[in-house]
Amino acid sequence: MTLAGCYEMYRVLQVGGVTVLESIILVLFVLLFAWIAFSFASAMAGFFVLLFRKADELGIDASAALPAIESRTAMLLPTYNEDPYCVLARLRAIHESVEETGCASRFDWFVLSDTTDPAIWIAEEKCFLRLRREIGQEARIFYRHRPENTARKSGNIEDWVKRFGANYECMLVLDADSLMTGETIVRLVAAMEKHRNVALIQTLPIVVNARTLFARWQQFAGRLYGPLIAAGIAWWHRSEGNYWGHNAIIRVRAFAGYAALPALNGRKPFGGYILSHDFIEAAFMRRGGWAIHMTSTLGGSYEESPPSLLDFAARDRRWCQGNLQHLAVLPASGLHWVSRLHLLTGIGSYLTAPLWLVFLVVGILVSLQAQFVRPEYFPKGFSLFPVWPAQDPILAAWVFVATMGMLILPKLLAYIVMLTHKDERKQFGGGFRTLAGIVAETVLSGLTAPVMMIFQSSAVGGILLGHDAGWQVQRRDDGAVSREDTVRRYSVPTLFGIAMAISAYSVSLPLLLWMMPVILGLLLAIPLAMLSSSASAGPASGLFRTPEETSPPQVLLRANELANALHRTVTCPLLELRRNADLREAHLNNLSRPRPRNRGEIDPHLAIARAKIEDAETFDEAAAFLGPRERFAVLNSRIALGELMVLPLR
């Protein structure tokens, strides 16, 4: 397909000879067309897998009787400055769902906190105490807080594996927004027991709980197109699969033996700890001889979507840096060629954005050159006829139509698969409603794609210039963004759209109309952002109904019920410990042993905090003196906390 696309594009450009700028366009087109063709071929494979209902390679059948399991599995929930009330509500809903299977005795539960915000940390412990009290003290559920979140999530999991991993055959890694049904979890454990050569089984998480227009069309697209895409990649990668970082079960022995991550040489953003660790962990376990699989049709696996394009772009910025770090791992010896392909596709998913941007800019430059630069009709050398600079507009239109067809056809194939499932078709709201949703989603995604192209190109450029993305907490609320922030953040795409529109119109009105799908998305960036981040987006959001909205699974209903229950937030963590003796005792028991230090090595935040406590006359005065980092240091120190607690209240 790529060769055919390259040949047709060459025919478009070769009329009158190929110039330097046209050569650049041809090279960029081939790279981008190859990317589209690769995704299209994978989607076609997924279509036939789902259409003919091909059995899961591991024999996992969601409609079969629930199998018996014998091994012990650890359920791991890493969290970092997340809303503890929602996080533990989801964990409790999963725990109750597992209990309903009758296999609860085979699971232990671990909340692995890397939280650095003192108020959230104490709220986590408070929620955990209530959870233990309500589900019963006999429940094997544990809480651990790391004073230093070294290597972030991957370091959090590594710490657990080193301390507790030897006691378990498998671990199932969740995310802060993860939900899974008990039946799905038990079937995954049974599959791991049956296939002893498998190190990891990745499920397909379905987006739920979307509130804003942006999140709703992402939820709709993921639910309708996701199974087709997942089935396609599962078909071609088979036992050389990938890992998406959550909602996957992992054999602890394989992970401990082969998935240790290197610290990359050099400075951030390319050096240091790898942000996108999951791809590398899967590749290393496959290098160790273990199989990595995906089950695309099991169901019962859920997650949430960022509420706005800005939140999506912020998360994408971190993933972009992590995937570009894979360039250092790509040459590693012993990797399976499919694992290298996974790393390349991860890298390419971000490099394509600046490539599209350059492709558009060079296309405009070619048009401007033809309009304003005098052509060289008689170049140096012998020539019987003048050279007329031109392209073939008819053939160019057909190449464009073919390319757009390859982007849209997989959506229609997913629609056809949905129509063949009667129950699913009803849960989507019927065939006509779903088709209208596909049209609306395609239009909205087409309008936001140019904006995302600018954001991703900016992210790649920033990383190449040495700017570190850090690790921001993902927002999971209603997505509201102030008007000032919206205008400020979307001003660059808007200005770029104005520049493109002026450049295209200066050549000709037909060129402006030809480029209008891209230009329109950039010009409408600000109003579309305001509309899509709103929870009350009008009737358009009603088109994006999904089966999980029509017939919500019990685990989702229970999690939302628990998360929406009234609770008192922690505003002053130190005062909360002062008033609640049980919470204070639990906090002291949860503290890790102090890290051994050399003589003369001093924690400056703790030293300043203790000096302020000593200088204060009352508890309230000391609490007011302490800054956020000093409060965190006090909460990590038994001695400093004891000194604070004995001060009299005001």
Side-chain angles (χ1 to χ4, degrees):
M1 293 174 68
T2 302
L3 289 174
C6 175
Y7 174 70
E8 293 301 321
M9 191 62 179
Y10 175 75
R11 290 178 60 200
V12 170
L13 300 173
Q14 60 88 32
V15 179
V18 179
T19 66
V20 173
L21 287 177
E22 289 174 338
S23 299
I24 295 174
I25 287 180
L26 181 60
V27 172
L28 291 173
F29 176 82
V30 171
L31 292 174
L32 295 168
F33 192 89
W35 181 260
I36 296 172
F38 180 79
S39 302
F40 176 79
S42 184
M44 286 295 296
F47 170 71
F48 288 110
V49 168
L50 295 181
L51 188 66
F52 295 110
R53 291 168 170 76
K54 189 174 182 289
D56 184 89
E57 189 175 5
L58 297 176
I60 303 175
D61 185 359
S63 62
L66 200 64
I69 58 175
E70 299 177 356
S71 59
R72 296 197 65 79
T73 299
M75 303 290 295
L76 307 186
L77 177 57
T79 180
Y80 173 73
N81 291 335
E82 297 277 355
D83 182 345
Y85 303 97
C86 294
V87 170
L88 292 185
R90 286 187 280 264
L91 183 68
R92 180 174 176 180
I94 301 172
H95 183 274
E96 292 177 356
S97 184
V98 171
E99 279 190 320
E100 292 172 0
T101 67
C103 301
S105 61
R106 301 296 181 186
F107 295 89
D108 292 352
W109 306 75
F110 294 84
V111 179
L112 307 178
S113 173
D114 261 0
T115 292
T116 56
D117 185 303
I120 296 177
W121 178 10
I122 299 305
E124 285 175 356
E125 294 182 330
K126 185 178 178 181
C127 290
F128 181 78
L129 279 181
R130 186 178 66 182
L131 176 64
R132 286 293 301 267
R133 184 170 59 250
E134 292 178 353
I135 67 176
Q137 295 297 322
E138 69 279 359
R140 294 183 59 82
I141 180 168
F142 310 97
Y143 175 89
R144 188 270 286 131
H145 178 269
R146 283 201 307 167
E148 299 177 3
N149 58 339
T150 305
R152 301 182 174 92
K153 182 179 177 180
S154 62
N156 200 353
I157 300 296
E158 178 184 347
D159 175 77
W160 180 89
V161 170
K162 289 180 176 178
R163 295 173 62 187
F164 310 109
N167 298 318
Y168 301 92
E169 178 66 24
C170 294
M171 59 182 181
L172 199 152
V173 180
L174 302 168
D175 224 347
D177 61 347
S178 292
L179 267 179
M180 296 185 74
T181 64
E183 286 195 4
T184 292
I185 292 170
V186 171
R187 294 186 193 280
L188 288 173
V189 174
M192 295 294 278
E193 291 180 348
K194 181 179 179 182
H195 302 278
R196 296 290 177 177
N197 67 320
V198 173
L200 184 148
I201 304 176
Q202 174 70 61
T203 64
L204 173 64
I206 298 299
V207 176
V208 293
N209 284 338
R211 299 176 182 87
T212 63
L213 175 60
F214 176 82
R216 287 187 62 79
W217 93 61
Q218 295 294 314
Q219 176 179 275
F220 174 83
R223 183 61 178 86
L224 184 59
Y225 316 141
L228 182 88
I229 297 169
I233 62 177
W235 174 80
W236 67 258
H237 68 44
R238 298 178 67 84
S239 63
E240 285 75 45
N242 212 346
Y243 175 33
W244 297 345
H246 61 283
N247 293 30
I249 190 167
I250 305 173
R251 198 174 303 278
V252 177
R253 179 160 50 94
F255 191 88
Y258 296 98
L261 296 175
L264 301 179
N265 296 326
R267 300 172 57 187
K268 295 178 180 179
F270 288 101
Y273 298 108
I274 300 174
L275 296 184
S276 295
H277 54 90
D278 37 16
F279 280 35
I280 305 299
E281 289 161 345
F284 283 1
M285 285 189 285
R286 183 63 190 88
R287 181 173 65 174
W290 294 90
I292 312 293
H293 283 271
M294 164 178 277
T295 174
S296 59
T297 57
L298 176 59
S301 177
Y302 310 100
E303 64 179 353
E304 295 184 2
S305 170
S308 71
L309 183 60
L310 283 180
D311 294 292
F312 186 90
R315 184 186 68 175
D316 209 53
R317 172 67 173 79
R318 186 183 78 236
W319 288 358
C320 176
Q321 179 174 328
N323 282 21
L324 292 183
Q325 285 179 310
H326 295 171
L327 287 166
V329 184
L330 197 58
S333 62
L335 295 182
H336 194 282
W337 70 269
V338 176
S339 297
R340 296 189 199 275
L341 187 57
H342 286 313
L343 298 181
L344 281 171
T345 54
I347 296 167
S349 63
Y350 292 97
L351 293 183
T352 50
L355 290 179
W356 276 114
L357 184 59
V358 174
F359 182 78
L360 291 172
V361 170
V362 174
I364 292 177
L365 290 177
V366 169
S367 301
L368 289 172
Q369 181 187 53
Q371 181 72 12
F372 296 108
V373 178
R374 179 181 177 181
E376 194 69 45
Y377 293 105
F378 295 97
K380 294 180 180 180
F382 177 76
S383 176
L384 291 175
F385 303 98
V387 176
W388 305 100
Q391 295 87 36
D392 187 332
I394 304 298
L395 188 56
W398 280 111
V399 172
F400 173 79
V401 169
T403 305
M404 290 300 102
M406 290 170 60
L407 291 172
I408 295 174
L409 184 57
K411 299 184 179 187
L412 299 179
L413 295 178
Y415 175 69
I416 293 172
V417 171
M418 183 273 297
L419 292 177
T420 64
H421 294 79
K422 182 179 179 181
D423 293 340
E424 191 174 272
R425 184 173 69 248
K426 290 182 178 179
Q427 291 172 341
F428 267 107
F432 290 110
R433 186 190 189 108
T434 307
L435 186 59
I438 292 174
V439 173
E441 182 275 329
T442 301
V443 171
L444 290 170
S445 297
L447 289 174
T448 55
V451 181
M452 200 63 206
M453 174 188 68
I454 299 297
F455 284 155
Q456 286 187 335
S457 299
S458 174
V460 172
I463 291 167
L464 294 178
L465 291 174
H467 301 306
D468 180 31
W471 193 287
Q472 292 80 22
V473 180
Q474 183 177 318
R475 287 204 315 163
R476 307 186 194 276
D477 54 16
D478 60 1
V481 182
S482 68
R483 181 169 306 202
E484 293 75 14
D485 283 345
T486 301
V487 172
R488 179 175 57 85
R489 297 291 298 276
Y490 287 93
S491 58
V492 172
T494 303
L495 292 174
F496 197 86
I498 293 173
M500 288 185 67
I502 294 173
S503 300
Y505 183 72
S506 65
V507 175
S508 66
L509 180 61
L511 179 61
L512 177 64
L513 297 176
W514 177 264
M515 298 191 65
M516 189 53 67
V518 174
I519 294 174
L520 191 62
L522 295 172
L523 295 178
L524 296 178
I526 293 175
L528 186 60
M530 293 179 177
L531 175 66
S532 63
S533 62
S534 171
S536 55
S541 62
L543 294 173
F544 304 128
R545 181 185 297 178
T546 63
E548 286 68 33
E549 290 180 303
T550 306
S551 302
Q554 181 58 37
V555 69
L556 177 59
L557 292 174
R558 180 58 172 157
N560 290 340
E561 176 191 352
L562 293 168
N564 293 331
L566 292 176
H567 55 263
R568 183 173 62 86
T569 58
V570 174
T571 55
C572 181
L574 297 172
L575 185 59
E576 195 80 28
L577 291 180
R578 176 68 181 254
R579 291 172 173 173
N580 191 330
D582 291 339
L583 180 60
R584 184 167 66 249
E585 180 183 1
H587 175 78
L588 292 172
N589 290 335
N590 284 333
L591 289 181
S592 303
R593 284 193 293 270
R595 178 177 60 86
R597 64 180 179 86
N598 301 321
R599 289 178 59 84
E601 182 183 357
I602 296 175
D603 179 353
H605 303 298
L606 181 58
I608 294 172
R610 294 188 66 180
K612 289 182 176 180
I613 292 171
E614 184 179 351
D615 195 46
E617 295 181 355
T618 65
F619 176 91
D620 302 88
E621 189 178 38
F625 286 165
L626 300 175
R629 291 189 176 183
E630 293 153 7
R631 286 195 294 271
F632 187 75
V634 169
L635 288 172
N636 268 303
S637 170
R638 288 181 173 85
I639 297 175
L641 197 57
E643 293 171 346
L644 177 63
M645 292 299 156
V646 297
L647 290 177
L649 289 170
R650 180 170 50 188

